[in-house]
Structure formats: C-alpha cells, structure tokens
C-alpha cells in the first residue's frame, strides 16, 4: 500500500495533474494509510488537497502549496513506523515539561524552555532554554502575541534536543497552554504557521518511536 501510494503521488507530480476527483482519492488513501501509522502524523498535508477536492473550478495543475503537500506525504509515508500498542502495565515513564513566554518590552522577547525527568535507574533532570530569533517569528502569521506558536514550538525543540534520551520511550508531555496541547493532540490546526510546527512534533515522535501522551 505504501509503494502504490508513493507511485500515485509521484505520477501526479510528474504529470502536473490533480483534478478534484483525484484529490479526493489521494486524501482518502492517505488518511487510511495514516490510520495504520504512528501517532498523529500526516494531517498537516491535507489542507490544500481538500481545497482542491471541493473546488468548483476547472484548475487541474499543481501550485507550490500542492506540490509541497504531496512531497510531504511521500516523506511521511516512508518515514513513519507502523502503529504499535504496548502491553506493559508498568512502563518507565519519561516526564517532559515545556513552556514559553512572549514579553513585548523585554530585550529577548521570545523564549521557550523545557525540563526532562528521566526515570530510575538512570534518574536525571535535564533542562534547556532558548531565545527564539525574531527572524523565525517573522515567518508566522502577524499577531499581537505569539504565545500559541511559541508554546507549540517548545515541543519539537524539546524532542529534538533530547532525541537520544526520549527515543523508544513513553513520554508524558505537560504543556502550559491548553490551546497548544489541544492542537498537538488533534495533530492539526487551521492556522498555517501552527500546523507546520505540529507536523514537526509528530514527525520527530515517529522518527524516534516516542509514545507521547500530551496534557
């Protein structure tokens, strides 16, 4: 199924041809495949394809957004391990806390951080903080406060920072922002800047086989 889906998407990219009916088929096949893959990966890809699926026009060529989404679908299908279920009633749990701040009058306005607690017998408490460059924030949708995006961003930065420590573990991830936690649980957001961060989180979780529970 993976191989057939990749062939289908590659042909669409080569032919530069995606009518609404074919877009619907791709969304359906991709959704079915993602239901058997790891975590919440994949939902970030479907926005532009759903727009084409329900479009009333005669456009069939691919714009940059559709090309990016189709290429990302191939990457996710090839990257993600199969969905697994643990039968261990007493697993060792890694605890992760992430947080962020946005203080407009502060010299270093955008800051994120995290704390990781590793269980015995290798008990450790690790932490990081990072001043987010304004150049990165400029790529996000303009708004008065960027707390939502910063709280989201702390997640994938933490998974990347501690990829060796959290690989192949069960992680309880506490996020100090209800909106950010909810969108990570859903694996999707209608905001284009948020959905890219959410996708990065779940791709890292899939790549390193991190069983992440978010609260």
């Amino acid at each position: 199924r993976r191989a057939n889906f990749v062939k289908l998407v590659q042909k669409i990219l080569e032919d530069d041809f995606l009518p609404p009916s074919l877009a619907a088929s791709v969304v359906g096949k991709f959704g079915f495949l993602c239901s058997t893959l790891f975590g919440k990966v994949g939902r970030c890809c479907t926005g532009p394809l759903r727009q084409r699926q329900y479009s009333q026009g005669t456009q069939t060529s691919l714009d940059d957004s559709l090309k990016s989404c189709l290429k990302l679908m191939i990457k996710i299908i090839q990257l993600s391990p199969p969905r697994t279920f643990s039968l261990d009633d007493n697993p060792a749990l890694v605890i992760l806390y992430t947080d962020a701040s946005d203080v407009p009058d502060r010299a270093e306005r955008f800051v994120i951080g995290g704390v990781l607690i590793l269980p015995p017998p290798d008990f450790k408490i690790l932490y990081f903080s990072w001043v987010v460059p304004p150049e990165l924030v400029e790529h996000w949708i303009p708004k008065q406060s960027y707390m939502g995006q910063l709280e989201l961003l702390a997640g994938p930065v933490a998974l990347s920072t501690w990829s060796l420590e959290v690989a192949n573990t069960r992680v309880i991830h506490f996020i100090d922002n209800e909106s950010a936690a909810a969108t990570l649980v859903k694996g999707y957001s209608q905001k284009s800047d948020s959905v890219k961060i959410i996708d990065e989180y779940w791709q890292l979780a899939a790549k390193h086989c991190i069983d992440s529970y978010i609260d």
Side-chain angles (χ1 to χ4, degrees), residues 9 13 45 66-76:
V9 174
L13 288 166
C45 303
L66 284 168
K67 290 177 183 177
S68 296
C69 289
L70 291 169
K71 291 175 182 178
L72 186 56
M73 281 182 167
I74 293 176
K75 178 182 177 182
I76 287 172

Side-chain angles (χ1 to χ4, degrees), residues 46-57:
T46 58
L49 273 89
R50 290 184 185 277
Q51 292 178 10
R52 175 60 59 86
Q53 175 184 352
Y54 296 111
S55 66
Q56 300 298 317

Side-chain angles (χ1 to χ4, degrees), residues 97-174:
Y97 298 88
T98 57
D99 204 351
S101 66
D102 176 357
V103 182
D105 296 330
R106 187 174 58 192
E108 296 175 339
R109 175 177 172 179
F110 311 112
V111 182
I112 63 174
V115 175
L116 186 73
I117 304 175
L118 300 177
D122 302 319
F123 176 75
K124 289 182 183 178
I125 298 179
L126 308 173
Y127 67 90
F128 84 91
S129 65
W130 183 48
V131 177
V132 180
E135 295 80 11
L136 173 59
V137 178
E138 288 173 1
H139 290 283
W140 297 342
I141 298 171
K143 60 192 73 176
Q144 290 186 334
S145 173
Y146 293 92
M147 279 301 298
Q149 282 67 39
L150 291 167
E151 293 278 9
L152 282 174
L153 180 65
V157 171
L159 296 188
S160 180
T161 299
W162 291 312
S163 59
L164 294 178
E165 288 81 2
V166 298
N168 302 299
T169 65
R170 299 180 74 177
V171 176
I172 298 181
H173 183 181
F174 293 103

Side-chain angles (χ1 to χ4, degrees), residues 2 32-39 41 76-77 80-83:
R2 283 188 180 189
F32 179 77
L33 275 174
C34 285
S35 70
T36 65
L37 296 180
F38 189 96
V41 296
I76 287 172
I77 290 297
S80 298
R83 184 180 297 276

Side-chain angles (χ1 to χ4, degrees), residues 198-211:
I198 295 167
D199 170 61
E200 189 66 24
Y201 181 92
W202 285 111
Q203 282 201 59
L204 285 165
K207 179 180 179 181
H208 299 294
C209 294
I210 302 165
D211 187 358

